[in-house]
Amino acid sequence: RILKPFEYKLEATTSFAMGTVLMTEALESRSELKELRLFNFHAVNQRIVTISNIIKTTSSLCKLHLCRCKINAAGAFLIGESLKTNASVKKLLLSHNLIGDDGTIALTDALKTNQHLEE
């Protein structure tokens, strides 16, 4: 559901497939997106690829909240790779995920390249 013209928020949905379709349709056409908030979203498989593509292609994205999305090390790697090419994200929240040591390393590597993150 869209809260503001430049912000998108989606919480857990009952249907995994429907949540993915809704997110993809709502976000892929929003090049002016400023903030992306996904909570309890179970961001795996195609969902994490979609999120990664949004990070890569949205130069206006400043805040990224992906808390409690069950992001694992592979997902953290994809996010890290996307952040390497995105200089607009200033705030990244990834609390309560399943990132582990490998995911932490991937994100740390991204921060070596992208020094624009403030939080």
Side-chain angles (χ1 to χ4, degrees):
R1 105 191 142 172
I2 302 209
L3 296 178
K4 297 178 185 175
F6 304 109
E7 179 181 326
Y8 182 80
K9 179 179 178 182
L10 182 63
E11 295 193 23
T13 61
T14 54
S15 166
F16 183 86
M18 181 56 84
T20 303
V21 169
L22 289 172
M23 182 186 71
T24 302
E25 288 176 356
L27 296 177
E28 287 187 338
S29 63
R30 298 205 41 113
S31 60
E32 75 281 2
L33 182 71
K34 300 274 185 207
E35 184 170 350
L36 177 60
R37 292 175 176 254
L38 302 175
F39 298 98
N40 297 318
F41 192 62
H42 200 156
V44 296
N45 303 329
Q46 186 57 41
R47 285 182 173 184
I48 198 67
V49 170
T50 300
I51 292 167
S52 176
N53 288 337
I54 289 166
I55 296 168
K56 283 181 192 174
T57 59
T58 308
S59 61
S60 61
L61 185 63
C62 298
K63 296 178 184 177
L64 186 58
H65 301 254
L66 301 172
C67 301
R68 299 182 186 271
C69 289
K70 298 184 181 179
I71 297 170
N72 59 20
F77 176 80
L78 286 172
I79 291 170
E81 289 299 304
S82 298
L83 287 171
K84 287 180 181 179
T85 59
N86 181 310
S88 65
V89 174
K90 305 289 186 229
K91 184 174 185 177
L92 174 65
L93 297 174
L94 292 169
S95 65
H96 298 88
N97 281 293
L98 309 169
I99 293 170
D101 292 341
D102 290 340
T104 302
I105 291 168
L107 290 168
T108 302
D109 287 344
L111 293 176
K112 290 176 186 174
T113 303
N114 180 343
Q115 298 181 354
H116 301 286
L117 281 171
E118 298 169 358
E119 289 184 58

